[in-house]
Structure formats: structure tokens, C-alpha cells
Amino acid sequence: MSTKKAAAPKAPADQNALTVLASDLPRQQLAIGTRSACALFRGFESMRKIQQRTAHHALAQYQAAAERLRQPCNPVDVLMLQAELLRFDMDEAARYWQQLGQAALEMQQMVLDSMAATLREESEEAVGNLQALAAAVHQPFGGDGRSGQAAH
């Protein structure tokens, strides 16, 4: 008895390319997903900092108003304080939403940049694999996978 194993028949080149593509696709998808998630988390941290600064600023303003209201004051002073708080709230709300909008745009740009970087890194290999996949898919139909039409 021979201890050598019989060599496995080699798969056609097109079938091998299809296998390589199919086996590497989950890794590529996960790479894009995790890089995008990192960009999202950086964006969320930026938004949290904006919220924290805004809340801190509002706390300081309202604490000062509360201190002023501890003392007796005339109705005109109360009305002026109320108007000052309203102006502060409107200004801060506009600033807050503008900063959040800017942070969201920056986060979207980070996600797109991370996806583009991953795709650039994978592009040469992916293009070759996709071409091999196209050829493998079209082969049973008599096509070469390049023209988009089956040979007649």
C-alpha cells in the first residue's frame, strides 16, 4: 500500500478565481464595515463634545440667572432677565444645531474617506477577482465575461 495521497484534480482557473473571490469577500466587507464604524464613532465623540460644551455653557448662564432671581427685583428686571434667557436660548440653539450639522457632515466625509481608502487598497485584487468571476459566470453560456453578451 502506498501512503501517498492521490493528487486532487485541479480546478479550472475560472473556478479557482471564483473560490478566491467568494472566500475573500466577507473579509473585504468586514474591513469596509469596521473602518466605517470607526469613522462613525469618531463622529459621535465629536457630537458628544459639542453637546457637553453647549450644556456647560447653558448651565453657567442659567446658574447666573438663578442667582440674580434669589434677590428681590422689580417686574421690569424679571422681564429683562427672561428676555436675556430667551435670546441666549435662541442663539445657543442656532449655534448648537449648526455645530451638530457640521459634525455630521464631517462624519459623513470620514465614512466616505474610510470606504474609499479600503476600496483603493483592495481594488487591484478585487478587479482581477471580479473579472475572473465574470468569466466564470459567463462561461457556461458560451461567453467570455468581457463583452456582456454570450457568443453565438
Side-chain angles (χ1 to χ4, degrees), residues 101-136:
Q102 180 65 33
L105 289 174
E106 289 171 3
M107 182 172 55
Q108 286 178 335
Q109 187 62 50
M110 285 189 292
V111 169
L112 291 174
D113 289 347
S114 70
M115 290 174 66
T118 302
L119 291 174
R120 268 193 307 275
E121 292 169 5
E122 302 286 339
S123 67
E124 284 185 29
E125 181 183 346
V127 168
N129 288 339
L130 287 174
Q131 288 174 341
L133 174 63

Side-chain angles (χ1 to χ4, degrees), residues 50 91-105:
I50 291 167
D91 288 347
E92 285 299 304
R95 185 177 299 110
Y96 171 76
W97 287 110
Q98 183 180 20
Q99 290 173 350
L100 274 184
Q102 180 65 33
L105 289 174

